Amino acid sequence: MAQVIESPVTTPRTSFRPQDEEIPLYRLVLIDDDDHTYDYVIEMLQKIFVFSFDQALDHAREVDAAGRTVLMTCQLGEAEFGRDQIHGFGPDPRMPRSKGPMSAVVEPAG
């Protein structure tokens, strides 16, 4: 005799946020300086943010040319965490005058 086992019926939980309650977004911005090499910037961005080589190179070029580059737009906690990761990355071992990490700031996206 075959036994039939029925799957339990589950209802997914959903939560809705009122349309007028938006989560504010922030930009994580890398600031240029003359104490870090392109190689440092590319290595840092690949390790911290898992950017591809091409993505990291594009950001390195932009920060060099424009003085800043937006790395990501996200919620405040994520942006602050990214900033802290950059600030904790340390100096560029390729440049003797590099005494610390690059600078990054968090700014409102709106």
Side-chain angles (χ1 to χ4, degrees):
M1 176 159 132
Q3 185 177 20
V4 177
I5 300 175
E6 293 185 25
S7 299
V9 176
T10 59
T11 304
R13 291 181 180 217
T14 56
S15 61
F16 295 96
R17 185 182 313 276
Q19 292 289 350
D20 58 352
E21 184 184 334
E22 293 184 20
I23 298 172
L25 296 177
Y26 293 83
R27 288 188 289 259
L28 174 60
V29 182
L30 184 66
I31 306 298
D32 188 31
D33 63 36
D34 293 328
D35 296 330
H36 299 88
T37 61
Y38 268 65
D39 288 339
Y40 172 93
V41 175
I42 291 167
E43 177 185 330
M44 175 188 63
L45 295 177
Q46 286 182 305
K47 285 186 178 181
I48 294 174
F49 300 101
V50 195
F51 286 161
S52 69
F53 176 82
D54 289 337
Q55 290 171 316
L57 178 59
D58 288 344
H59 283 292
R61 288 178 174 155
E62 183 174 6
V63 76
D64 186 41
R68 57 189 272 137
T69 184
V70 176
L71 299 177
M72 64 181 181
T73 301
C74 54
Q75 293 181 19
L76 180 60
E78 294 170 279
E80 290 174 334
F81 182 75
R83 178 201 57 208
D84 294 347
Q85 293 293 307
I86 292 169
H87 290 169
F89 201 72
D92 185 342
R94 300 162 193 87
M95 293 189 78
R97 72 173 184 237
S98 178
K99 302 298 181 205
M102 292 188 75
S103 293
V105 296
V106 173
E107 60 186 29

